[in-house]
Amino acid sequence: MSSALLEARPANVTGTKKTRPRVGAWLIQACVWGMVLLWTIPTIGLLVTSIRPQDDIYTSGWWTVLRAPFDMRQYTLENYQTVLFSEGMLTSFVNTLAVTIPAVVIPLFIASFAAYGFAWVRFPGSNVLFYLFVAMLVVPLQVAFIPIIRIFTDLGISNTFLSAWIVHAGFSMPIALLILRNYIASLPQELIEAARVDGASHWTIYTRIVLPLSWPAIAAFGVFHFLWVWNDFLVNLVFLGASPDVEVMTVNLQSLMTNRGQDFNILAAGAFITMVVPVAVFLFLQRYFVRGLLAGSTKG
């Protein structure tokens, strides 16, 4: 009897060790799905509210459509037509693209080229200059509003897209330089040295070696900066204003809240339109975004 018990113990212990990881994995998956559900429910509610008639919104909750989700009589696209054409959201959408795309591309190009210089081009004072650039991260954007506005007014570029591009690109340059320089500096030194031995110039090394290998870090910062510029309200309001010619979506949405604060269907449609592009950009660049965040965490 005792020998049988001794022989059975290792099997039970082994079974317990195999079971615990499975239970832990199921628990982690349940927590993840729970978090996804909690974050998704408000978005679903916003989407459903944006396609419901105004009278239905005031008389019942958005979840009531789940009783018959395929009943098309309870949905309408009139809210989006009103927001896009009557409230000027379509023009604001185009203006937001006109502000965001250059404001993201400009710092990415300049910072990536400067990061290559700081990482692989040796010149006197390079480290001091790099630390000075990074130290600009501690300067709040709001502190520079008044002097920048005065300079732009003297130059005659206030309330133009150019002013927004300069501000967004300039204040994102330190963090872009920090991220890209650290990533580019971690590239294999053998690649750079082999290119130099073959007679490649700095521009050739940058465009054909460094830039393709740095795409994960560039995409990671690009996603972060795109979301920041796209959702920005203060900078765009200060440097562009609320003129219909240059008004962006966040400023337009704030005007909707002021003028049509009780029309929840209109506000929901406008808010959902502002979400579409950032979500699409994040989903499209998701794999590069994760690779950029994990860059340098492992070797080999």
Side-chain angles (χ1 to χ4, degrees):
M1 177 67 69
S2 60
S3 60
L5 290 174
L6 292 175
E7 293 177 356
R9 284 179 182 176
N12 292 335
V13 171
T14 304
T16 303
K17 290 182 179 180
K18 291 182 179 180
T19 304
R20 287 178 180 175
R22 294 179 181 177
V23 174
W26 281 106
L27 181 61
I28 293 174
Q29 293 180 12
C31 293
V32 171
W33 280 108
M35 294 173 61
V36 171
L37 183 63
L38 290 175
W39 279 97
T40 306
I41 286 177
T43 305
I44 296 175
L46 182 68
L47 174 60
V48 174
T49 303
S50 68
I51 57 177
R52 297 186 72 200
Q54 187 176 19
D55 295 337
D56 293 348
I57 293 176
Y58 289 146
T59 57
S60 61
W62 64 267
W63 52 88
T64 56
V65 303
L66 300 178
R67 300 172 184 172
F70 299 104
D71 185 4
M72 296 295 109
R73 293 174 298 178
Q74 59 186 337
Y75 305 124
T76 179
L77 295 178
E78 184 179 353
N79 301 328
Y80 286 95
Q81 293 176 356
T82 302
V83 168
L84 289 173
F85 302 105
S86 299
E87 299 297 336
M89 185 64 77
L90 181 60
T91 303
S92 299
F93 181 85
V94 176
N95 292 338
T96 305
L97 287 176
V99 171
T100 304
I101 294 176
V104 173
V105 173
I106 292 173
L108 282 178
F109 175 77
I110 298 177
S112 62
F113 197 64
Y116 167 78
F118 283 116
W120 296 105
V121 179
R122 303 304 176 193
F123 57 92
S126 60
N127 292 332
V128 176
L129 188 60
F130 173 73
Y131 294 145
L132 288 176
F133 270 110
V134 175
M136 296 302 294
L137 287 171
V138 303
V139 178
L141 175 62
Q142 295 79 5
V143 174
F145 274 178
I146 294 178
I148 291 178
I149 290 175
R150 290 180 176 177
I151 294 173
F152 287 170
T153 302
D154 295 337
L155 295 176
I157 60 173
S158 59
N159 297 328
T160 63
F161 290 143
L162 179 60
S163 62
W165 297 342
I166 294 174
V167 174
H168 283 304
F171 280 89
S172 65
M173 203 70 68
I175 185 63
L177 182 60
L178 176 63
I179 294 174
L180 297 180
R181 186 263 183 186
N182 292 339
Y183 185 90
I184 293 175
S186 66
L187 296 177
Q189 186 177 358
E190 292 78 7
L191 289 176
I192 309 299
E193 293 179 350
R196 289 174 179 172
V197 170
D198 292 339
S201 63
H202 287 301
W203 177 254
T204 302
I205 296 174
Y206 167 75
T207 55
R208 296 192 179 184
I209 298 178
V210 173
L211 202 58
L213 293 177
S214 303
W215 175 243
I218 293 175
F221 174 77
V223 170
F224 268 128
H225 191 47
F226 183 91
L227 296 178
W228 180 68
V229 176
W230 183 274
N231 296 319
D232 178 76
F233 171 77
L234 182 60
V235 173
N236 293 325
L237 178 63
V238 171
F239 292 95
L240 291 178
S243 174
D245 296 334
V246 293
E247 183 183 57
V248 296
M249 298 183 69
T250 52
V251 178
N252 183 282
L253 190 61
Q254 190 272 339
S255 300
L256 284 178
M257 294 177 61
T258 303
N259 301 327
R260 308 191 63 168
Q262 300 300 322
D263 298 332
F264 301 128
N265 54 327
I266 301 299
L267 294 178
F272 195 80
I273 292 173
T274 62
M275 296 170 51
V276 172
V277 174
V279 172
V281 169
F282 181 80
L283 293 178
F284 179 73
L285 297 176
Q286 175 178 289
R287 56 175 180 172
Y288 301 106
F289 178 74
V290 175
R291 287 171 58 189
L293 291 179
L294 297 178
S297 60
T298 57
K299 293 182 179 181

